[in-house]
């Protein structure tokens, strides 16, 4: 199988949604940055997607949406999607260090591989940015940030409360 690798920043800088763009042109992996290095000061990492790009991303089965808010916030504020999986920021690095079976037991979904398309969000985007940088530093190559619940609501998105 031929692998097409392109720079994630090149796609986003052109105003394209990386999640929907990749399958259309046969991209199998985005080249984000080398693992285990801090991003350069002028880096565009982590890349943020807009509300409309997130809507497109949520329609793609390969996209993993991770909400890094605390469980109490999910209850009080609600979720932006049923597809969102919760790993609080304070648990993220330990969670990713778990083996696959332990991860599934604790979080209820399969541990993402380092090339899984991961969109991370929180309430305002601050924790999501920290989470994206943490994942990037340990080798995750397709990590994107969505600003969060406030942006979702401002753009007319409904919250799911349970």
């Amino acid at each position: 199988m031929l692998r097409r690798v392109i720079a994630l920043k090149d796609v986003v800088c052109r105003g394209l949604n990386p999640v929907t763009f990749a399958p259309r042109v046969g991209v199998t992996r985005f080249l984000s940055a080398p693992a285990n290095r801090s991003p350069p000061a002028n880096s565009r990492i982590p890349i943020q997607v807009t509300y409309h790009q997130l809507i497109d991303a949520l329609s793609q089965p390969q996209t993993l949406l991770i909400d890094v808010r605390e469980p109490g916030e999910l209850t009080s504020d609600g979720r932006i999607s049923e597809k969102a999986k919760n790993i609080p920021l304070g648990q993220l690095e330990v969670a990713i260090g778990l083996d696959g079976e332990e991860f599934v037991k604790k979080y209820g979904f399969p541990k993402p591989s380092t090339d899984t398309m991961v969109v991370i969000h929180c309430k305002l985007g601050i924790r999501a940015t920290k989470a994206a940088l943490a994942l990037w530093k340990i080798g995750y190559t397709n990590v994107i940030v969505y600003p969060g619940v406030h942006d979702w609501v401002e753009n007319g998105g409904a919250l799911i409360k349970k």
Side-chain angles (χ1 to χ4, degrees):
M1 177 179 173
L2 179 65
R3 290 182 62 165
R4 288 194 67 191
V5 179
I6 63 172
L8 184 59
K9 68 178 177 122
D10 292 340
V11 173
V12 175
C13 288
R14 289 182 175 84
L16 300 170
N17 182 346
V19 176
T20 55
F21 171 78
R24 286 197 311 254
V25 297
V27 171
T28 56
R29 182 171 171 264
F30 285 112
L31 177 62
S32 158
N36 300 322
R37 285 206 196 157
S38 297
N42 63 352
S43 172
R44 292 187 51 119
I45 298 171
I47 295 169
Q48 283 196 1
V49 292
T50 66
Y51 171 81
H52 296 289
Q53 289 172 324
L54 180 63
I55 296 293
D56 288 344
L58 292 175
S59 69
Q60 303 297 317
Q62 73 273 16
T63 302
L64 174 61
L65 179 62
I66 297 178
D67 186 335
V68 294
R69 295 177 296 151
E70 293 297 319
E73 292 176 273
L74 303 179
T75 304
S76 63
D77 298 336
R79 296 176 176 259
I80 65 173
S81 170
E82 289 288 343
K83 193 173 181 178
K85 307 298 184 189
N86 181 235
I87 305 176
L89 178 60
Q91 298 176 22
L92 186 66
E93 288 189 61
V94 172
I96 295 303
L98 296 173
D99 70 29
E101 191 175 305
E102 287 178 282
F103 185 93
V104 171
K105 280 182 187 175
K106 182 157 177 110
Y107 296 102
F109 65 97
K111 180 179 173 180
S113 65
T114 56
D115 62 350
T116 298
M117 176 59 72
V118 179
V119 179
I120 300 180
H121 86 88
C122 59
K123 193 169 190 171
L124 298 170
I126 298 165
R127 287 173 285 181
T129 300
K130 289 178 183 178
L133 289 171
L135 288 176
W136 179 71
K137 285 180 183 178
I138 58 175
Y140 281 76
T141 57
N142 294 323
V143 181
I144 299 173
V145 171
Y146 176 66
V149 174
H150 278 292
D151 187 73
W152 183 262
V153 172
E154 284 178 4
N155 281 286
L159 294 174
I160 301 163
K161 293 195 177 189
K162 286 188 178 180

